[in-house]
Amino acid sequence: MTLDTKTELLRYKLLHQRYDYDIDVYNLVAYGELNNEISRIDELSFSFMVELENEKITPRQFLIYINEFVRYMKLYFYNMATFQFSLREIIRGNKEELNDLLDCKCDDPYNCFGIKKNNNIKECCYKLIIASFIKNAKYVPTLKTILEENHIKLKEVKDYTLKESEKILNLLSDIVFAQRGRGITMELFENIDTHLKEHLERKAKSKSKKYTLEDYKNRYIDSYIKNYERMFKAYNVRKKYLKHFI
C-alpha cells in the first residue's frame, strides 16, 4: 500500500468520524506533515485487527495519539495566533519525541476515554510540546536563565518526569499568554537546529558572498536570541497578573 493510499484512507476516517477528531488532525494529515509517521501504519490494520510487528502502528492508534497531542496544545495555547503553524513546527523539528508518543504503550489504545487518563501518553504529549523550547536553550542564554528562575533544571527532554514536563509546559503557556496575541510565539516551538541547518544550506548555494557561513550562522542565531528576549521581557512584566486568569 502506498503512502498516498494510506493518507487517503486516514482522511476518509477523519471525515467519516469528524466528531471524534479535531480538525487540526485532518489538516496535519492532509498537508503531509506526518508522512513519515503514516508510512509506519501497517496496511493490514486498515481492515483487520492484527498483531503488529516491526514497530508498526494501527490507523486508530495513530489518530487517537495525534488527537491527544492537538488536544493538549489547545488546552494550553488556546489564545496563540500562530497555533496551526506551531503544530507543524513541533512535528517537523521533533521526530524522536513524536515517535516516542506513537510508540507509547496503552492497555487499550482503542479506548478514547482511557487514553485521556493515561499518564504515559500525557507525558509523551508534554515532552513533544516542550521539546524545541528545551533544545533551543543551547542557543538562547536567557532561556536557561528563565528556566532557573522557575526552579527548572535544564537537561535532556527524555530525562524529565511527568511532573517536571508539566511545570515546563505551564511556564511555556504563561510566556505565550503574556504576549497577548503578539510576539513571534511560533519561534518558541521551532527547533533552531532544524531551521539553522536549512538556512545555512540555502546560503551555501547562494551566489551572494556578502557574509561567510559563520557570519550567517551568528546573525541567524542572534535574531532568535533577540526575539526570545523580547518575549521573556513581556512575560516578566506581566507574570504578576497571570494569577488573575487562572
Side-chain angles (χ1 to χ4, degrees), residues 77-107:
F77 304 102
Y78 60 90
N79 70 321
M80 186 165 59
T82 58
F83 184 83
Q84 284 77 17
F85 291 105
S86 298
L87 283 179
R88 297 175 193 174
E89 284 299 328
I90 291 171
I91 285 173
R92 193 163 75 94
N94 301 286
K95 292 300 183 179
E96 181 180 347
E97 288 78 15
L98 175 58
N99 282 297
D100 284 344
L101 169 61
L102 294 176
D103 291 334
C104 193
K105 301 301 180 184
C106 181
D107 292 336

Side-chain angles (χ1 to χ4, degrees), residues 27-42:
N27 290 335
L28 289 171
V29 169
Y31 296 151
E33 303 295 339
L34 293 161
N35 283 350
N36 290 336
E37 291 68 39
I38 291 173
S39 66
R40 291 183 55 199
I41 299 176
D42 189 289

Side-chain angles (χ1 to χ4, degrees), residues 148-162:
E148 290 173 348
E149 290 173 350
N150 286 272
H151 310 291
I152 298 168
K153 184 178 179 180
L154 182 62
K155 50 187 174 181
E156 294 291 323
V157 175
K158 64 182 180 181
D159 294 331
Y160 286 114
T161 64
L162 171 59

Side-chain angles (χ1 to χ4, degrees), residues 40 42 50-57:
R40 291 183 55 199
D42 189 289
V50 296
E51 290 294 327
L52 303 183
E53 299 179 353
N54 300 322
E55 300 182 348
K56 293 289 185 178
I57 54 178

